[in-house]
Amino acid sequence: MSDTIEQHESSADGISEPQSAHTALLICRDSASQKWGPRWLEQSGFLTTSAHDPSHARKLAREMQPSVVIVEAGLLDAAGCRLYETLHRCGRRTPLRTLVLCANAREAQIALDNPDIADIVRKPFDWNLISRRARRAVVEADNEQELNRTYLALDEARAEIRDTRRSLAHSVDRDALTGLSSRVKFKRLLDQALLDQPKLSLLVIRLNRFRLVNEALGHDNGNRVLAEISQRLRKVLGGSTSAARGLVTVAASRLGGVRFGVLVSRMNDPEDLRKLADRIHGALCQPVRIANQSVYLSSSIGAAIAPLDGEDADRLLQHADLAVREAKQRGGGFSMYREPLAAGSARHLELEGLLHEALDRGQLHIEYQPLLQVAENKVIGAEALVRWHHPVQGNISPAEFIPIAENSGLMSRIGALVIDGACRQLRQWRDAGATDLRVAINLSLYQLRHGDVVEVVARALRETQLEPRLVELELSERGVVGRDHEVLHQLHRLKALGVRLAIDDFGTGESAIAYLKELPIDSLKIDRSYLKGALSDGRDATIVAGLIALARRLGLTVVAEGVEVGEQLRMLREWGCHQYQGFYFSPAVAGNRFLALAKSADQKVNACEGRVADLV
Ligand code: C2E
Ligand code: MG
Ligand code: MG
């Protein structure tokens, strides 16, 4: 008997109907069902296809993927199996929803036991009810599918969160710029390493003068240089674990800015560490090619050893940092942490406390070092230098307590005291007849950044009735070379008062010679280290001669500091230096001794000329 396929919708084949519509496949031989089934199903919104031959029904089910199949329980497939039992597996994606028409209680019992069956209906068949139950089965299926989709989306979201967490953890652990361990991870590794085997060393490496690279080449290129430096560091350390050369590097990190940390285990001999530091220095000082330029860098390295210098990560880092600071202060190189460095911090705290008292008890006073003309060896003024005589500790050097005053906010008070005192002293000297003298006063960078130094100077000038050009303010080169707008602004305000400005310690900072043109300065003081070197080192002599020539070309007065012997003075004279100061003539003396000292200059001239003559 040939199968009859009735299409009960307007579509040509009943298969490619709009996907949104629900479809039903009715498989039955009962004539009443064949007649009423499709009608009621369509009433319930189904596009219905009917079939009565089991093998065709299977084919249809596969092709149509109907939303629901309504099948007579008694129909068997070619293998003699109940059609509804095998039919539901025809679904390509999800099992078909199957509703079974049962002719008797036995058929109903068997169908009920089948978990894949959505619903059963007993004879006599009420097609109104059946179509509604088919509808409900389909709605339930839709809901279930929706739920599954939601579960799927949830799973995907969870996976995404997991990935994000993983990459977040990665970014917390890695420094994005260099790919080295982050500070957080490094500290974790350090703590872990200390637990595992307490014998290890920590190196902290700091790049010197990196600010210049950023200023000259821009931050992007600065970052490229840092990335290159990290690569070199990795290479020197031989990867994350290198048993070669008997050392095992557990980790390298960018601790922040231009500071790097290296953790070396199984090594705590200072000599070995020095050799390792030498290798690092060697690698980092090779020029880095960037933006068609060769950038030359140097580094300072500090080391601390566990457990001697610290038993936990914080302490070791703190001590390696102190060591690197010491290395930097010495102009680079390598430094091991030593107890005195920590003692230095304790001393810092002690002096900070004492300095408060010193100000309140008037322990600070000013001494004056004569400033002379090179050509005539005539005293033309004085540099005011602050002095601290502590009743128990004795004299404490300004080089030691000025940085402490800056850190503790006392510098504005000390600065005002010196400005005030020096102006009053000059007034007294002038009143005593020394009308050709002027005074130089040191300013700390802190005063320019935080204090009311312009007002303090203006008030001192007003109160002492001094001509502003008789006062020269010295600012260390270290302070002015960075393009700090606030500092520049203050310098211009001071200049507007009519005072003279000088760059002190020239040659010790990050000398940007071109920058000199932009500063509102009148004089340049060459740092005494060059004068010292000029006697023995031809290069230093060349530098001093060059700096003098440069300053003269720029129309600046040039002053040499730290002249200790006649030969230095002879050189300065030859090179055309304008002024000098130094122990050769006199150290700083009390204000009330100064005029007598200045008068003795003539005698010194003769002595000096004599000595110079001997040398020529
Ligand atoms: P500076 O301004 O470069 O002062 C010159 C320093 O060199 C003084 O050291 C002086 O005593 C020393 N000196 C002068 N001639 C010679 C010499 O022939 N040979 C040697 N070896 N040294 C010489 P001092 O007084 O210890 O001051 C050190 C630094 O402390 C000063 O360097 C200055 O930067 C700072 N300072 C001193 N007084 C003040 C102050 O009142 N305010 C501020 N802000 N800083 C001050
Ligand atoms: Mg000075
Ligand atoms: Mg100086």
Side-chain angles (χ1 to χ4, degrees):
M1 187 169 72
S2 85
D3 201 6
T4 324
I5 300 175
E6 287 179 48
Q7 300 292 327
H8 300 276
E9 237 336 300
S10 53
S11 106
D13 55 17
I15 295 168
S16 55
E17 286 301 321
Q19 302 238 322
S20 56
H22 286 126
T23 50
L25 175 60
L26 173 61
I27 313 164
C28 63
R29 287 185 175 154
D30 172 62
S31 56
S33 295
Q34 282 177 359
K35 181 179 174 188
W36 295 109
R39 292 185 191 177
W40 281 104
L41 286 167
E42 276 160 28
Q43 282 262 323
S44 290
F46 286 104
L47 300 176
T48 309
T49 304
S50 297
H52 57 257
D53 177 68
S55 61
H56 270 90
R58 284 179 65 80
K59 185 169 170 266
L60 274 174
R62 232 185 339 267
E63 289 173 357
M64 271 178 69
Q65 289 293 303
S67 316
V68 64
V69 176
I70 301 142
V71 53
E72 271 177 12
L75 290 176
L76 304 177
D77 68 6
C81 299
R82 283 181 198 91
L83 185 60
Y84 68 80
E85 281 180 352
T86 51
L87 203 57
H88 81 274
R89 288 197 287 269
C90 287
R92 275 175 299 224
R93 289 176 295 273
T94 48
L96 299 174
R97 288 260 136 187
T98 313
L99 218 131
V100 182
L101 305 171
C102 303
N104 52 47
R106 192 179 135 66
E107 282 182 357
Q109 190 58 53
I110 294 169
L112 268 176
D113 287 345
N114 187 329
D116 296 324
I117 300 308
D119 204 353
I120 60 156
V121 192
R122 286 282 303 275
K123 237 179 176 172
F125 302 130
D126 174 347
W127 277 100
N128 180 7
L129 192 75
I130 294 170
S131 64
R132 284 164 187 258
R133 286 166 91 165
R135 177 98 229 144
R136 203 174 66 189
V138 166
V139 170
E140 275 170 9
D142 279 354
N143 288 344
E144 202 172 294
Q145 256 180 23
E146 187 57 40
L147 209 66
N148 283 341
R149 269 198 294 274
T150 311
Y151 280 137
L152 218 69
L154 259 175
D155 275 353
E156 278 168 10
R158 269 197 212 110
E160 217 166 280
I161 290 170
R162 247 194 334 269
D163 287 353
T164 313
R165 275 213 191 109
R166 229 175 263 145
S167 73
L168 254 175
H170 187 76
S171 68
V172 168
D173 280 354
R174 295 253 148 242
D175 171 57
L177 179 64
T178 60
L180 297 175
S181 299
S182 67
R183 184 187 170 87
V184 175
K185 182 174 179 197
F186 189 68
K187 274 184 72 180
R188 213 167 54 226
L189 290 172
L190 191 50
D191 271 327
Q192 187 56 45
L194 283 162
L195 284 180
D196 292 347
Q197 43 120 6
K199 178 181 158 183
L200 53 81
S201 306
L202 170 66
L203 300 183
V204 171
I205 302 153
R206 202 187 172 101
L207 299 178
N208 301 330
R209 302 164 49 151
F210 198 77
R211 202 172 33 138
L212 280 186
V213 176
N214 279 335
E215 275 178 15
L217 303 178
H219 273 86
D220 284 350
N221 283 325
N223 284 349
R224 278 182 206 122
V225 174
L226 281 181
E228 166 65 23
I229 290 296
S230 314
Q231 284 299 332
R232 291 185 188 178
L233 203 56
R234 273 211 185 97
K235 222 161 158 188
V236 178
L237 300 169
S240 59
T241 53
S242 152
R245 308 184 199 108
L247 73 100
V248 177
T249 311
V250 180
S253 158
R254 180 165 168 241
L255 295 173
V258 292
R259 272 169 71 241
F260 298 85
V262 172
L263 165 56
V264 193
S265 61
R266 287 193 228 148
M267 182 194 271
N268 63 2
D269 176 37
E271 226 9 76
D272 289 342
L273 285 170
R274 182 177 297 281
K275 282 182 198 149
L276 177 59
D278 281 348
R279 282 212 304 275
I280 295 173
H281 279 307
L284 303 194
C285 77
Q286 298 301 317
V288 180
R289 236 4 240 173
I290 216 101
N292 286 330
Q293 290 191 43
S294 293
V295 177
Y296 290 84
L297 289 171
S298 64
S299 50
S300 308
I301 303 182
I305 291 171
L308 213 64
D309 300 337
E311 290 176 2
D312 59 66
D314 279 332
R315 202 129 190 90
L316 267 186
L317 268 168
Q318 187 189 346
H319 289 162
D321 271 336
L322 278 172
V324 82
R325 211 174 305 156
E326 200 207 41
K328 190 165 190 273
Q329 273 163 11
R330 284 197 272 108
F334 174 72
S335 175
M336 286 292 300
Y337 168 77
R338 288 167 286 116
E339 271 305 317
L341 287 182
S345 300
R347 166 103 172 135
H348 185 117
L349 276 180
E350 184 196 6
L351 285 189
E352 196 178 312
L354 293 178
L355 202 50
H356 277 274
E357 284 175 19
L359 270 163
D360 295 338
R361 297 181 187 173
Q363 287 169 6
L364 298 184
H365 67 282
I366 309 169
E367 285 185 352
Y368 299 87
Q369 182 172 38
L371 193 67
L372 296 98
Q373 257 177 7
V374 170
E376 297 164 39
N377 212 47
K378 185 172 172 324
V379 175
I380 50 152
E383 178 175 4
L385 294 164
V386 68
R387 297 286 175 255
W388 178 11
H389 183 81
H390 188 268
V392 179
Q393 306 233 3
N395 290 331
I396 300 169
S397 159
E400 189 175 12
F401 70 80
I402 295 275
I404 293 170
E406 287 179 336
N407 282 334
S408 56
L410 289 172
M411 196 56 223
S412 298
R413 268 180 83 188
I414 296 179
L417 184 143
V418 176
I419 292 166
D420 227 47
C423 287
R424 281 176 205 287
Q425 183 61 74
L426 183 61
R427 176 81 267 161
Q428 277 184 27
W429 291 335
R430 291 180 72 83
D431 289 348
T435 50
D436 48 359
L437 292 185
R438 59 187 180 81
V439 73
I441 302 169
N442 291 287
L443 278 195
S444 121
L445 186 61
Y446 181 94
Q447 287 167 269
L448 287 174
R449 285 216 178 108
H450 306 281
D452 49 355
V453 68
V454 183
E455 287 69 29
V456 172
V457 173
R459 194 183 56 226
L461 290 173
R462 208 171 42 242
E463 288 177 359
T464 52
Q465 301 280 297
L466 284 174
E467 265 182 78
R469 64 174 184 85
L470 299 175
V471 174
E472 183 162 283
L473 301 174
E474 297 183 1
L475 186 64
S476 178
E477 189 203 7
R478 278 171 278 247
V480 283
V481 173
R483 287 164 197 257
D484 185 323
H485 292 295
E486 178 57 22
V487 170
L488 263 182
H489 175 64
Q490 297 288 57
L491 287 180
H492 281 285
R493 285 183 67 207
L494 286 169
K495 191 77 195 114
L497 291 179
V499 296
R500 289 171 59 91
L501 296 178
I503 299 285
D504 201 357
D505 310 326
F506 192 76
T508 54
E510 296 165 353
S511 312
I513 288 169
Y515 192 52
L516 285 178
K517 283 190 301 186
E518 298 169 28
L519 290 169
I521 52 166
D522 305 279
S523 341
L524 197 141
K525 295 183 84 168
I526 301 171
D527 188 67
R528 65 173 184 266
S529 58
Y530 290 103
L531 260 286
K532 194 168 181 188
L535 288 176
S536 52
D537 186 336
R539 278 173 307 182
D540 275 350
T542 311
I543 290 172
V544 178
L547 286 179
I548 292 170
L550 174 89
R552 291 182 70 108
R553 290 280 298 268
L554 291 172
L556 303 174
T557 303
V558 55
V559 186
E561 295 181 314
V563 175
E564 294 182 349
V565 295
E567 195 185 345
Q568 288 166 321
L569 185 57
R570 183 186 61 83
M571 287 172 163
L572 292 173
R573 202 164 275 160
E574 199 175 289
W575 294 326
C577 184
H578 297 119
Q579 295 163 10
Y580 82 95
Q581 65 186 85
F583 296 165
Y584 175 68
F585 181 72
S586 168
V589 297
N592 58 10
R593 282 188 51 214
F594 189 83
L595 290 184
L597 179 70
K599 275 191 197 129
S600 76
D602 278 351
Q603 267 176 303
K604 287 265 180 182
V605 177
N606 297 333
C608 164
E609 294 299 349
R611 264 179 273 172
V612 172
D614 289 347
L615 288 165
V616 179

